[in-house]
Amino acid sequence: MASQNIENVTRIGSNTEGILSDILSKRLPNGWKFGLSNEIYENVDGKNYEMTGIPPNYELNYSRNTKEFYIDLLTELKTNDRAIEKVIELNK
């Protein structure tokens, strides 16, 4: 979120997961444990990205499926890394 206010920072990739708050852990009298999101993080304009995630400047649509993400990442590392190619394109 802090990178949104730095002029020379460009975010490339996919939205973050939208999990910003720390967990407040509690235990019920019956022994059950539970956690609550107990903080609100907002950017300088007052926007809250909880649940929606912080968007990149350039979306690369990475898979949200963990297995697919890692397979795609390994493939890109051997062929063409989209993020690195975008950095090169932007700095020409």
Side-chain angles (χ1 to χ4, degrees), residues 45-58:
D45 298 321
K47 181 159 175 70
N48 182 322
Y49 290 99
E50 194 81 34
M51 293 178 59
T52 61
I54 299 166
N57 298 102
Y58 294 94

Side-chain angles (χ1 to χ4, degrees), residues 1 4-5 41-49:
M1 192 179 318
Q4 293 175 319
N5 300 308
Y41 288 98
E42 298 176 338
N43 71 3
V44 295
D45 298 321
K47 181 159 175 70
N48 182 322
Y49 290 99

